[in-house]
Amino acid sequence: MPGALLAALRVALVALLLFVPVTGLVLSGYQLELHWQRPLWLAGAVFVGHLLLAPLWGRFQSAAAAVAHHQRGASTTQPGSRRFWIGLALLIAL
């Protein structure tokens, strides 16, 4: 648990560093005002979200690793298949 808490704290610190210039600096005329409430709330939400989702992500990674361990070789789709064209359309849309 302490490892997860430290990881969530690091993620919240990075989020705070990103949110302060984006949401905390307010232009009032020709003056910049620093508002700390919004970035702190957003960083707190990131902290709580990371704490709640980290166990689920760990379970997902272990399940994906187990599946990858049992698969042999790479699976690809043929250029004529419908799945290929859907993937290509999604890639172009992004």
Side-chain angles (χ1 to χ4, degrees):
M1 184 66 174
L5 194 60
L6 285 175
L9 201 57
R10 281 189 301 239
V11 169
L13 182 63
V14 170
L16 185 65
L17 289 173
L18 292 173
F19 286 138
V20 166
V22 174
T23 63
L25 291 176
V26 178
L27 186 62
S28 175
Y30 290 111
Q31 299 291 328
L32 281 175
E33 296 178 4
L34 184 60
H35 295 269
W36 283 98
Q37 188 173 7
R38 277 177 277 176
L40 287 174
W41 275 106
L42 290 170
V46 168
F47 177 77
V48 170
H50 192 276
L51 276 180
L52 293 176
L53 294 178
L56 295 175
W57 180 250
R59 251 190 280 164
F60 172 75
Q61 281 183 328
S62 63
V67 168
H69 178 70
H70 292 296
Q71 287 181 345
R72 304 220 187 258
S75 62
T76 59
T77 59
Q78 299 297 324
S81 70
R82 184 174 184 195
R83 188 173 172 193
F84 173 79
W85 291 110
I86 291 172
L88 184 63
L90 287 174
L91 183 66
I92 292 171
L94 291 175

